[in-house]
Amino acid sequence: MGAQRLIFLGPPGSGKGTQAARMSGKFGLAALSSGDTLRREIAGDSAVGRAAQAYVSTGQLVPDDVITDVMLAAIDRLPRSAGFILDGFPRTIPQAEALQQGLAARGMPLHGVVDFEIPDQELVVRLAGRRVCTGCGMSYNVGSLPPRAAGVCDRCGGALAQREDDREDVVATRLATYRRQTAPLIDFYRRHGLLHPVDAAADVNDVEAAVAAEIAAMGVAG
Ligand code: AP5
């Protein structure tokens, strides 16, 4: 079992969730998706979900303290020795600083940040074609990664649906939000010597091989 502590950083639709699922299986890492966690909280009508709903549906970031508490709590629920992938968190410099402090306090430094590099025009096409399983959350694409039977999840047989925030107008807001608030993390993690860029515009199996090679090269020290 791997014990790397990783971040997957990249714009909406760059393939973070797809590769987090694959790397979770390959390296035995827990995949902790901030977006999936918020969508579960919203579906369950919890206090966090009610606080997050308006931000998520319009493509804006939920407040830093809300998501930071949620993600540190998710890390604390894992066995101490477990490795993990943070998919979609952090997304702002204050979140990155809070994560750094939170992990330092737990004696759990990060091993690396995989940066999914991809042009905007490819993202728009991918998000328009994305379908997500309403049962297990598995992500498909009507163009590039179709399920074996249309509208049905290969893994659990659940129904596939389009995410509310994959509408064209919301996608434009999400991309702008990424460029303004999240892209500065690329320099932040580069300065910390943690950044591992991959070409996320490549075929999904080639991206998988590139991400796996980066993770394997990071080791499990710390
Ligand atoms: P979240 O759910 O994290 O959305 P996101 O970052 O916008 O990322 P996506 O899930 O859209 O994309 P992905 O990179 O995982 O791509 P995927 O693998 O699905 O966040 C949603 C919202 O929650 C935010 O807008 C915000 O409101 C809130 N939120 C979350 N985290 C927050 C935080 N830290 N702070 C504040 N607010 C936060 O792939 C996309 C599609 O492409 C799929 O159809 C897939 O099948 C296909 N695909 C994948 N790889 C390839 C490939 N190589 N070639 C062709 N197609 C591919």
Side-chain angles (χ1 to χ4, degrees):
M1 176 160 167
Q4 292 101 331
R5 293 181 286 270
L6 309 172
I7 291 170
F8 281 8
L9 175 67
S14 56
K16 303 181 299 296
T18 300
Q19 296 301 337
R22 293 182 181 212
M23 295 306 125
S24 171
K26 202 183 273 279
F27 291 95
L29 303 168
L32 302 178
S33 158
S34 53
D36 287 349
T37 304
L38 290 171
R39 283 184 287 279
R40 275 196 301 273
E41 297 284 344
I42 291 167
D45 198 29
S46 69
V48 166
R50 286 192 294 277
Q53 211 279 335
Y55 298 99
V56 173
S57 64
T58 54
Q60 298 172 66
L61 298 184
V62 307
D64 289 333
D65 54 339
V66 172
I67 192 68
T68 300
D69 288 352
V70 163
M71 296 307 285
L72 287 175
I75 290 170
D76 287 338
R77 281 194 293 276
L78 298 174
R80 234 200 101 73
S81 59
F84 55 78
I85 299 166
L86 299 177
D87 164 12
F89 175 83
R91 254 168 151 103
T92 65
I93 296 286
Q95 289 179 24
E97 289 170 344
L99 175 67
Q100 212 167 30
Q101 283 165 18
L103 292 181
R106 290 162 175 77
M108 301 166 79
L110 286 172
H111 295 103
V113 177
V114 179
D115 177 30
F116 288 67
E117 295 185 332
I118 182 166
D120 275 8
Q121 61 270 27
E122 172 72 15
L123 299 173
V124 173
V125 174
R126 283 191 190 180
L127 291 173
R130 173 163 57 187
R131 299 294 180 270
V132 179
C133 177
T134 52
C136 70
M138 187 86 178
S139 183
Y140 297 88
N141 196 284
V142 293
S144 56
L145 279 170
R148 284 193 292 273
V152 181
C153 179
D154 293 349
R155 191 161 69 178
C156 77
L160 305 187
Q162 188 158 31
R163 256 171 56 177
E164 191 193 12
D165 62 347
D166 281 348
R167 289 195 332 259
E168 209 177 315
D169 54 326
V170 184
V171 165
T173 304
R174 288 165 63 203
L175 290 176
T177 301
Y178 172 81
R179 297 289 166 220
R180 193 175 61 248
Q181 292 182 264
T182 307
L185 293 181
I186 296 170
D187 266 349
F188 178 90
Y189 285 118
R190 187 182 290 120
R191 279 190 274 110
H192 284 84
L194 289 169
L195 199 74
H196 297 258
V198 295
D199 174 12
D203 172 83
V204 66
N205 294 322
D206 294 338
V207 179
E208 177 179 350
V211 174
E214 293 295 337
I215 294 175
M218 285 175 204
V220 290

